[in-house]
Amino acid sequence: MASRKGSSGTLATAKGSPANGAGAVKMTTRYTDEEWAKFIAEVEKDIVGASNVVYRCPDIGGPALAETIDHTLLKLEARAVQFDDLCAEARVNGFATVCVRPQWVHKCVMDLKGSNVKVACVVGFHEGTYDLLHKAQEAKQAMRGGASELDIVLNYEELKAGEYASIYNELATLRLQAPHPVLLKLIIETSQLDRSQIISACAMAAAANFDFVKTSTGYRGHGAKEEDVRLMAACCERLAVGMNHDRRMRVKASGGIRTIEDAMKMLEAGASRLGTSGGVWIVKEGKETVEQNRSLSPPSVHERRGSRPSLETRLFTDY
């Protein structure tokens, strides 16, 4: 049973029942789109003055920075050897996860055996408009392969249309299909949403007991923006108070994060996980910055940039 609780103290519940076909579980909710909209409006009313919050960041020269990174390779044309490289880089740098498509999960799990690096898998990528059955099948495939985190794309067209009951049905069903300790991240595609819609997406994710809200797929519009991350972090703080559980959702920033400056900006805005294909460079830059501060004789910009991995060795994307 999933539940939500608004600041007014009203409690909403959704009851699950077995469904036919593919072993899926269908969720039903007795709450209308209008009732969900009222709950969301209560949340939005409380999201004020959060833009000035500066969150504590990990030491940029230490392992804690690497542990915020989901090392990502989602290009359709990527080959097996590139996933070997991806996993080797994740091992060496101590990243949180590698993030890949469903068909590459098992290979990455095998490549990462004996390390602390987990495998995350995208679901419904990248448009989010796949039906629930398709998303449930991808989630099951990923978990069978050994994925311990799922990055699920929100059907943001439904969100923009105010079809909240349908969205909750989908998210709650996927949560049942992938119970804890599997971590679920909802990719809300902030480039396609306004402020109210971002708040709505966060509220729906919290109601369905997701673990993260995430900015972007990296395939549509702009990627992570500081103001969006701050808004999402504020929503997570507010919803942790309003819900009837003591867990707090976290924020994953993804899309266009390529430098240590990008990474620190997102972490200070409230992100605790970063989705990027540039993790190797970000960690390298962080260590160089610490060394520069110690030596007080930093190398020139040309010297620093000249050692950046080339496109032949790293597949940088907008993700």
Side-chain angles (χ1 to χ4, degrees):
M1 178 178 291
S3 62
R4 67 174 175 88
K5 191 173 184 180
S7 60
S8 63
T10 57
L11 181 66
T13 60
K15 298 179 180 179
S17 58
N20 295 327
V25 176
K26 184 178 180 180
M27 296 292 297
T28 60
T29 176
R30 56 191 172 88
Y31 291 89
T32 65
D33 291 337
E34 291 73 21
E35 288 170 318
W36 281 110
K38 183 178 179 181
F39 165 66
I40 291 165
E42 291 176 358
V43 175
E44 184 171 4
K45 183 174 60 178
D46 294 340
I47 307 299
V48 292
S51 60
N52 294 326
V53 176
V54 178
Y55 290 82
R56 184 176 180 180
C57 294
D59 177 5
I60 64 172
L65 175 63
E67 290 168 3
T68 68
I69 292 174
D70 289 349
H71 197 36
T72 304
L73 179 54
L74 296 170
K75 284 180 173 283
L76 285 170
E77 66 272 24
R79 298 161 302 164
V81 66
Q82 292 170 309
F83 291 95
D84 292 332
D85 292 343
L86 186 82
C87 293
E89 290 170 347
R91 274 180 179 270
V92 169
N93 288 279
F95 294 139
T97 75
V98 296
C99 186
V100 298
R101 292 179 183 265
Q103 64 267 34
W104 296 108
V105 167
H106 181 67
K107 174 176 180 52
C108 290
V109 168
M110 299 306 292
D111 280 356
L112 290 165
K113 269 193 172 181
S115 76
N116 293 323
V117 182
K118 307 296 184 185
V119 177
C121 179
V122 291
V123 171
F125 199 81
H126 62 276
E127 283 298 325
T129 53
Y130 295 101
D131 62 25
L132 175 56
L133 179 60
H134 179 93
K135 289 181 179 179
Q137 288 173 334
E138 283 197 330
K140 286 184 175 181
Q141 178 186 353
M143 290 187 293
R144 281 196 302 267
S148 55
E149 301 186 9
L150 303 179
D151 291 34
I152 299 168
V153 187
L154 171 71
N155 189 329
Y156 48 84
E157 295 299 340
E158 281 191 353
L159 180 83
K160 290 192 286 187
E163 298 174 13
Y164 303 120
S166 175
I167 291 169
Y168 180 73
N169 173 64
E170 176 172 292
L171 300 186
T173 299
L174 292 169
R175 178 77 275 182
L176 282 179
Q177 294 289 294
H180 287 104
V182 176
L183 296 183
L184 297 189
K185 312 186 194 93
L186 185 64
I187 308 174
I188 67 177
E189 204 69 281
T190 51
S191 68
Q192 306 304 305
L193 305 177
D194 61 26
R195 183 180 188 277
S196 293
Q197 291 162 349
I198 290 171
I199 294 171
S200 298
C202 292
M204 301 304 294
N209 210 22
F210 272 52
D211 302 283
F212 283 82
V213 280
K214 174 178 169 183
T215 57
S216 322
T217 61
Y219 283 76
R220 187 100 190 258
H222 64 72
K225 285 191 171 182
E226 184 179 356
E227 57 266 33
D228 292 337
V229 172
R230 289 190 182 282
L231 177 59
M232 293 161 68
C235 288
C236 292
E237 295 281 3
R238 160 61 179 83
L239 290 160
V241 175
M243 294 291 174
N244 67 332
H245 53 67
D246 57 4
R247 280 192 326 103
R248 176 184 173 277
M249 280 196 310
R250 292 177 282 170
V251 178
K252 176 176 172 179
S254 62
I257 302 170
R258 299 186 183 90
T259 67
I260 189 64
E261 291 85 359
D262 296 335
M264 298 308 290
K265 184 188 302 182
M266 295 304 158
L267 293 168
E268 288 179 348
S272 58
R273 195 75 73 85
L274 306 173
T276 177
S277 60
V280 172
W281 176 247
I282 288 169
V283 169
K284 182 177 184 293
E285 268 195 321
K287 291 176 179 177
E288 286 179 348
T289 300
V290 171
E291 289 303 314
Q292 290 166 27
N293 291 337
R294 286 175 182 166
S295 67
L296 299 180
S297 55
S300 67
V301 171
H302 175 75
E303 289 171 332
R304 291 180 65 211
R305 300 297 176 185
S307 59
R308 183 168 186 159
S310 69
L311 290 177
E312 280 119 16
T313 58
R314 291 294 306 121
L315 285 180
F316 287 96
T317 70
D318 286 337
Y319 184 81

